[in-house]
Amino acid sequence: MFDEFRYILSKIEVKEHVEWGASIELIDYDHKDYIEDVLCEKFGLEYAFSSNKDITGGYVLYFCKSATFDQVKNAVAKINNYHELQSREFKVAPYK
């Protein structure tokens, strides 16, 4: 992994949105693209929609009824743990 993309391994956190349930804030499009692939391919989770923060360039994934808060929280804990222990990203398509 190139040093310029190491931020992709940044710790992520699940928050509870009042209307839309579990949500995850991500740094930029590349971070969003990677995390959505990991959630789908490794944990079978898909988000309902995402929003883009114009000021920061960040993205927020909202899960609504597609996944419970606990399902998302458990997946995120495993992702964070893997990143911390392995210091590398998950292998997801097309790089399997």
Side-chain angles (χ1 to χ4, degrees):
M1 170 184 293
F2 294 113
D3 283 341
E4 65 189 89
F5 292 109
R6 299 238 20 111
Y7 71 89
I8 287 179
L9 304 180
S10 299
K11 186 173 183 176
I12 54 178
E13 182 180 336
V14 181
K15 295 181 180 176
E16 183 84 33
H17 188 277
V18 176
E19 281 185 70
W20 302 312
S23 66
I24 303 171
E25 190 168 335
L26 303 168
I27 298 167
D28 63 10
Y29 179 81
D30 291 325
H31 196 207
K32 173 188 171 280
D33 187 47
Y34 166 67
I35 294 298
E36 71 182 347
D37 286 348
V38 172
L39 288 169
C40 183
E41 292 180 29
K42 302 297 182 184
F43 300 98
L45 298 178
E46 292 191 29
Y47 62 94
F49 69 96
S50 69
S51 67
N52 175 258
K53 294 186 172 188
D54 293 332
I55 296 171
T56 64
Y59 286 82
V60 180
L61 304 182
Y62 296 98
F63 291 84
C64 298
K65 295 180 181 180
S66 64
T68 67
F69 181 84
D70 286 338
Q71 287 174 311
V72 177
K73 185 177 176 179
N74 289 333
V76 165
K78 290 176 182 175
I79 291 168
N80 287 334
N81 187 50
Y82 181 87
H83 287 164
E84 185 177 337
L85 294 176
Q86 302 297 321
S87 295
R88 65 184 175 98
E89 59 192 296
F90 280 89
K91 293 204 181 284
V92 291
Y95 306 107
K96 291 182 177 181

